[in-house]
Amino acid sequence: MTLPEEKLTKKQLKADHPTWCPGCGDFAVLASFFNVVQKLGIPHEKIVCVAGIGCSSRFPYFVNTHGIHFIHGRALPLATGISLSRPDLHVFVFGGDGDGFSIGGNHLNHAARKNVNLSYVVMDNQVYGLTKNQTSPTTPIGRRSKTDPRGSVDRPINPMAQLVASGATFIARTHAAQVKHMNEMFERAILHPGFAVVETLSECTMFFPGAFDSGNPRKGGAFNLVDETKRNMECTAEAMQLAEETEIMLPGKFGVYLESRRPTKNELENEWLKDAQAKVADLKPRDLLRQKFAAMR
Amino acid sequence: MSQPTALPVSDSLKNAVIRLAGYSQDGIQSIGAFLAQLAGSTAQDVMTYMTIPSTISGGPSIFQVHLGSGKVLHPGDEADTLVAFYQDSYQNHLSSLRDGGICFYDSDKVEEITEERGIIHIGVPFTSATIEAIGGTAKDRGKNIFVLGVLCAVYKLDREEITKIISKKFGGKSEDILRNAMLAFDAGYLWPVHDIDHMPMAPGENAEEKRLSTDGNTMLAMGLIAGGCRYGAGYPITPWTTIMEQLRSELPKYGGMFIQCEDELAAVSLAIGAAYAGHLAITGSSGPGLALKAEAIGYASMAELPLIVVNIQRGGPSTGMPTSVEQSDLMQAIYGSHGDAPRVVLAPRNVEDCFYTAVEACRIARKYSTPVVILSDQAIATRIEAFPEPDLEKHWDDVDLDLDERGVDFKPYPIDQLTRHSPPGSRSTEGKYPVVTGLEHDEWGHPSGNPENHAAMTAKRRNKLVNLAESLPRPEIFGDDTGDILLVGWGSTYGPIREATGKLRDAGHKVGALHIRHIHPLRVDLGELFENFSHVLVPEMNDSGVYGMGQLTTLLRAVTCDPKIKSINKTMGITFRVQEIVDAATHTLKS
Ligand SMILES: Cc1ncc(C[n+]2csc(CCOP(=O)(O)OP(=O)(O)O)c2C)c(N)n1
Ligand code: SF4
Ligand SMILES: [Mg+2]
C-alpha cells in the first residue's frame, strides 16, 4: 500500500453526528476508525465505506468519505464488486451480527473463501438493534428478546470458527471498550492483503446492556489476549481450537486468531485480465469484437 | 455400397423446414447448427428451433431448421422433411410433417409404419452406413454428419461451402476426426435416394456482404460488450447461463471481468457495486433468479444507479419448464420489487435484435442512471438465425470512468436534472463526500423522511421514464395502418405475427402488426394507433389470468382504457405457430 505525504485530519473525516443511542458501543468503533485512517493516511477520495442495514450499518453516514448504504445483508458482495472493479480504492465494510451472520451469512463464507481484498468490521451486539430487540444469530442461549420471550433456544453461531472454516485470511476479535486493542486490530486488518475481518463486541446499551462486561476489566471482567508468540498464526487448526475455547469459556480470547497469505481474488482475476489483454494487445476493443464476429460468419 | 444414381430435379424451393428428431447425444444439434451456418454463408435466411431434454444424460430432442432463400421469420409450423433416428422419434414426430412430406429414417433402428397422409418414407441405414464409411470403429459417432450429407444432396446445398464449415469445426481437432467426418459426409452425400426428386433450394437473396449466424444469447452478450458493459456477475440458470459463460471468457480481453457468485442476491449486489464504482455493469438470470434480485433492483432504482439486468424467460412459475419458452415475466420485469421502483424494460424480437437491444439498453442505463431490464426468452436465446453483421462504427460505445473532481455545486440528485453520481476516487472540491443510499434522500443524498421530499423524489425517478417515453420513436405498423385487426406483439412472437399478418392480408383482410420493443415505459399515445382498427389482438405466451388478459394486454388496457384489446394466449411452453394466430384472428373476424 502506497501512502501519501499529507494525512487526513479527524475534522475532515467527520460527517453527520451519529444517530446512535447515548453510550452505544458503535461510537467507539467510529472513533477508532478515524484514528486508524488518520494514522495510515489513505488519500481521502480513495476511501469507500460500505454497509448493509442495521444500527451499526449506518456507519457510512457518519464518515465523510465516499460511501454506500446498501440493503440488508448484501454489503459484502456489493463491496466485492467495488474492490474487484476498482483496485485503486480502499474498501471498508461495516455491519452488525444480524446483517453479517444471519441474512448475509452465506456471503460471508464466499467473500472469505474468495479472499476478496477488503476490511470488514462486524459490530456484534448479540441482538437486533435497529428493529428493537429480537434474537440475533449470536444471542446467547437463554437470553430473552421480543422474539424469544422464554429465552433464546438456538445455539449461537461461533463467528471465529465460521470464518476459519470458510477460509478468511485475517481473523481478529476485539472489544469496543478496549480502544487501544481495537485500534491495533483495525490497523492490522487494513494492512492485510486480502479478506480481513474484525469481530468487535460492541454493546447495545438500549437493548442488551452489559452484554460484554465479562470482557471488560472496568466492569469486573477479564480481557485476555491471544498470545501470538506461542502460536503459528497461519495454522487453521490452531485458530479453530482457539475459536472453540472462546465459545466454551466466554468472554474468551481477544486478538488475532489467524493471519495468513493466499492470493486474493483481486490478484487472481487481474492475472487473467492481464494475460487476456496481452494476447490481444495489438487489437483495439472494437476490432476485437469484429474478430469475434468474423468467427460467426 | 451400391453406386449412387442421379435423381430427377424438381422446381427450386424458396423455403424448407427440416426437423431432426433423435437423442441429444446423437449430435442432432450440430447438424442443425451446420445447416444454419451454411445458410448464413450462402445468403439464405434461417431460423432454428430446438428442444433440449432437461436431464444431462440426454434424451429425446429435436432440432428444426427453417431455411429460406428470402426472409425467414419463424421456425416453421410443420416440417417438410423429418429425419428420425429411432423408433420413438419416428413415431412421435411423424405428426409434425406436412401432408406429402418426406421422412428419412434410420432403417437400422426404425420399423416403418403405414401412414395415410401421402408421406414418403425413405429408409436409410444411418448407423451401418456410417460405420461402413468410417471403418467400423466409431460406433454411433458420425451418423449425424452422414445425415447432413444426405440432406445436402437432397436439397442441393453448397457442398464446397459445407465442406469448409466442417473443416473449420473439426480442423482444430485430430486429423482422424476430420477425416472421419469427411468420410461420413461423403457417404451420406452420395447415398442413393430413389423415391424422390432432388429439391434444390433457390439461391439465397440475402446478399449482404457479411452475414453472421448465431444464437440470441451470443448476440446479447456481444451487444453488451459493444454497449460498454465491462463488469458483471451472475449465477448459472438455464437458459441465461450461456450469456454469463461468454462474458466470463470475453470480458477480460476488454479489460473487464465477470464473476460467478454464490447466488443471485450476491450477483446483483456485486454488479451494483461495480456500477457504484463507476462502471456500466450487468447481471442476469432467468425467472426464478430475477425474483431473487428483486430487492436489489429496487435499490438500484432508488439510488439511481445504472444497471443492466438480463432476464431470459422460461416456463414458470418456480422451476416450471426450464427448457421451454414463455413470456410470463413481463410484469415481474416491470414491477418486480417493492415500493415505486421505476426501471426500463426492453425486449428483443429476434437474434439479431438482441444485439441492438443490448446496445440501446446500455445507452439508456447510462443516460438516465437507471436499471434497465432486457427481457429475452428461451426461444430467442437458443435458436440460430442468420443476419447482417452489425456495423460497429455506429453501434459501439467506448467506456469511460468519470473520476473528474466534483465542484462546489455538485449534487448527486438534482431535482430537475438527471442524476449524476460521483464514483469513489473522484475528489470533491469542497471536501464533502456523498453516501449513495436506498433510504429516501434529498438532492445531496442525505437521508430524509420529509413527506414533500419523498413525493418530489418519487416524481423525479418516475419522470425520467416519462421523458424517455416521449423521446422514443413511435412504433411503426407493418401492413395496413387502418382496418379489421391490429396484431400487437412483443419479444419472440414478432416473427409468427408478421407471417400471420401477411397470410391474413393475402386472404383479403385488412390487418396490421405492431411490435413493441420498449415495453416500459410505453408510449402513452399508442392508443391513437388502435383507434383505426375494429379489433386489437395481442398474441402472448402467457396465461390469460383471472381477468382474461395476458400481461401485455393488461398493460395496454391500463394505458389506453381501450376494451377492444384482447389476448391470444398460449401456455404450452412452445412458440406460436403462424396458423394459430391466423385462426384466432379469423375467428375474431367471424364472431
Ligand atoms: C430484507 C430485509 N429484511 C429485514 C429488514 C429489517 N432489519 C433491518 S436491520 C435488521 C437487523 C439488524 O441487526 P444487526 O445487523 O445485528 O444490526 P444492529 O442494528 O444490531 O447494529 C433487520 C432485521 C430489512 N431492512 N431488510
Ligand atoms: S439500539 Fe443499540 S445498537 Fe442501536 S444505536 Fe441504540 S444502543 Fe446502539
Ligand atoms: Mg446486532
Side-chain angles (χ1 to χ4, degrees), chain B residues 426-463:
Chain B
S426 50
R427 289 186 66 89
S428 146
T429 311
E430 261 189 312
K432 289 280 172 222
Y433 289 92
V435 175
V436 169
T437 173
L439 282 169
E440 185 57 284
H441 41 265
D442 62 19
E443 292 188 292
W444 291 270
H446 298 140
S448 162
N450 177 299
E452 282 76 29
N453 179 72
H454 181 46
M457 282 296 174
T458 303
K460 167 179 161 63
R461 291 184 289 268
R462 169 239 298 152
N463 282 337

Side-chain angles (χ1 to χ4, degrees), chain A residues 26 53-57 72 96-99 103 123 125 127-131, chain B residues 295:
Chain A
D26 297 350
I53 300 291
C55 289
S56 40
S57 294
H72 195 26
D97 41 314
D99 191 76
I103 188 166
M123 283 157 263
N125 53 12
V127 69
Y128 282 7
L130 189 74
T131 46
Chain B
E295 185 194 6

Side-chain angles (χ1 to χ4, degrees), chain B residues 21 75 95 99 133 144 173 179 213 215 222 227 232 234 238 244 261 271 299 309 365 430 446:
Chain B
S95 61
D99 292 353
N144 58 340
K173 302 182 179 161
R179 191 183 54 96
S213 46
D215 61 81
M222 299 309 131
T238 304
M244 84 177 255
C261 290
Y299 178 91
V309 183
E430 261 189 312
H446 298 140

Side-chain angles (χ1 to χ4, degrees), chain A residues 19 56 100 112 194 263 297:
Chain A
T19 46
S56 40
R297 268 178 220 150

